[in-house]
């Protein structure tokens, strides 16, 4: 059974940083695509970042470009989201996701596997 488990969420002040981790078990995603999405209360789930573990290519939402960095560790079957210069509008539940293809996608429906979510709150 495939499981994705996020960790690293929490409360941080504006301008601060957090690193989210997402560990997969049940199969290897070392050659496929990982993504991060987020959902704020009353809003739809939105794309944040994605990485192709095979090519190393990445893609970011405009709202996080230059502040967030997605990376992966194949040996640990884990993907990370480094979030710097956090803003109150980054407050949301963050979800990692994985898809068994080589092509990046920003569409949540393209991802078959999902974690349970990690809460990130940016507030003073």
């Amino acid at each position: 059974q495939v499981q994705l488990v996020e960790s690293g969420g929490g409360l941080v002040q504006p301008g601060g940083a957090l690193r989210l981790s997402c560990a997969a078990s049940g199969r290897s995603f070392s050659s496929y695509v990982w993504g991060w999405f987020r959902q704020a209360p009353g809003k739809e789930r939105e794309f944040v970042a994605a990485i192709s573990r095979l090519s190393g290519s990445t893609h970011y939402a405009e709202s996080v470009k230059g502040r967030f960095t997605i990376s992966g560790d194949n040996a640990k079957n884990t993907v990370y989201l480094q979030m710097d210069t956090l803003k109150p509008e980054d407050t949301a539940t963050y979800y990692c996701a994985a898809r068994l293809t080589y092509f990046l996608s920003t569409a949540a429906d393209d991802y078959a596997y999902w974690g349970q979510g990690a809460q990130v709150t940016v507030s003073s």
Side-chain angles (χ1 to χ4, degrees):
Q1 181 181 358
V2 176
Q3 278 191 315
L4 303 182
V5 179
E6 298 102 335
S7 60
L11 172 65
V12 64
Q13 292 186 341
L18 282 175
R19 188 176 82 155
L20 300 180
S21 300
C22 176
S25 61
R27 73 159 297 140
S28 172
F29 291 95
S30 61
S31 298
Y32 299 116
V33 171
W34 298 74
W36 285 96
F37 293 77
R38 67 187 181 185
Q39 188 167 19
K43 295 187 176 181
E44 293 188 356
R45 189 170 297 190
E46 65 174 356
F47 169 79
V48 174
I51 184 169
S52 168
R53 296 302 297 137
L54 183 65
S55 67
S57 58
T58 58
H59 183 67
Y60 296 92
E62 284 298 321
S63 59
V64 306
K65 197 173 291 185
R67 299 188 298 120
F68 289 12
T69 304
I70 187 171
S71 62
D73 185 331
N74 284 347
K76 296 181 178 179
N77 211 19
T78 298
V79 68
Y80 305 98
L81 185 68
Q82 176 67 41
M83 304 183 291
D84 298 320
T85 319
L86 282 160
K87 304 175 181 180
E89 51 263 44
D90 294 319
T91 296
T93 301
Y94 283 72
Y95 298 89
C96 73
R99 64 189 305 241
L100 299 179
T101 75
Y102 304 122
F103 304 104
L104 297 178
S105 173
T106 63
D109 288 345
D110 287 342
Y111 291 79
Y113 302 98
W114 290 84
Q116 83 287 355
Q119 179 65 39
V120 172
T121 302
V122 185
S123 175
S124 55

